[in-house]
Amino acid sequence: IERTLSIIKPDATRRNLTGKINAKFEDAGLRIVAQKRIHLSPAQAGKFYEVHKERPFYGELVEFMASEPVVVQVLEGEGAIAKNREVMGATNPAQADEGTIRKEFALSVGENSVHGSDAPETAAQEIAFFFSGLELVG
Ligand code: GTP
Ligand code: MG
């Protein structure tokens, strides 16, 4: 059984969309095995998105992620990483499929409501970035 790290981003927490987004995860068979609301500092957001530090949107992304609280969570299920990315939809909401979180809720390619790990190695890293083993309740 696989686990992935999910973040409900500031544009979504600000609009009280946490429950609606969680319903999409649960309807897809993903179990929320850990969850907390936190307000990232710019330094923490910068470290989390370090892989993107050479991209032109890095500064904007870090500023956005630290602007307001986020909900970080661990989702568990069969093929959780791929399933979560399917439920999220394409990075750019204009290209996201009908019924996906980003199609329904995202405001723009930057303010796109959710993050999801993209591979087993990054999922393990990203889960450890936010959660201790004690906080993961399968
Ligand atoms: P994540 O699940 O958040 O990693 O999204 P992703 O894997 O679909 O996209 P990617 O890893 O390529 O980019 C990470 C994040 O950077 C995206 O989710 C966006 O929030 C942001 N981002 C990507 N492209 C752009 C862009 O062109 N402009 C801005 N402002 N932000 C972008
Ligand atoms: Mg990504």
Side-chain angles (χ1 to χ4, degrees), residues 2-138:
E2 195 170 65
R3 285 174 171 176
T4 191
L5 189 278
S6 164
I7 305 178
I8 301 179
K9 295 184 179 183
D11 68 280
T13 59
R14 188 203 318 138
R15 291 176 289 151
N16 287 348
L17 293 172
T18 299
K20 287 190 171 124
I21 289 172
N22 279 347
K24 295 235 184 231
F25 294 144
E26 293 188 333
D27 288 349
L30 293 164
R31 185 187 304 279
I32 301 161
V33 297
Q35 174 166 262
K36 58 190 171 189
R37 180 177 167 95
I38 57 175
H39 193 152
L40 291 167
S41 69
Q44 289 167 332
K47 188 153 186 2
F48 180 77
Y49 277 116
E50 211 158 34
V51 290
H52 295 310
K53 68 173 179 295
E54 305 305 333
R55 314 267 291 268
F57 56 80
Y58 177 70
E60 203 179 310
L61 174 61
V62 168
E63 189 186 348
F64 166 58
M65 291 300 287
S67 65
E68 285 178 88
V70 296
V71 172
V72 294
Q73 48 193 190
V74 179
L75 307 179
E76 182 180 273
E78 217 57 68
I81 296 169
K83 190 175 281 181
N84 179 38
R85 292 185 70 84
E86 207 177 291
V87 175
M88 291 190 332
T91 309
N92 184 344
Q95 277 139 36
D97 288 340
E98 222 42 68
T100 61
I101 291 168
R102 283 166 169 167
K103 175 71 179 189
E104 225 164 286
F105 303 122
L107 301 176
S108 66
V109 67
E111 301 201 25
N112 61 1
S113 304
V114 281
H115 162 85
S117 307
D118 57 15
E121 306 72 47
T122 47
Q125 261 173 36
E126 291 178 359
I127 289 169
F129 185 88
F130 288 112
F131 294 97
S132 76
L134 279 177
E135 293 177 295
L136 302 169
V137 183

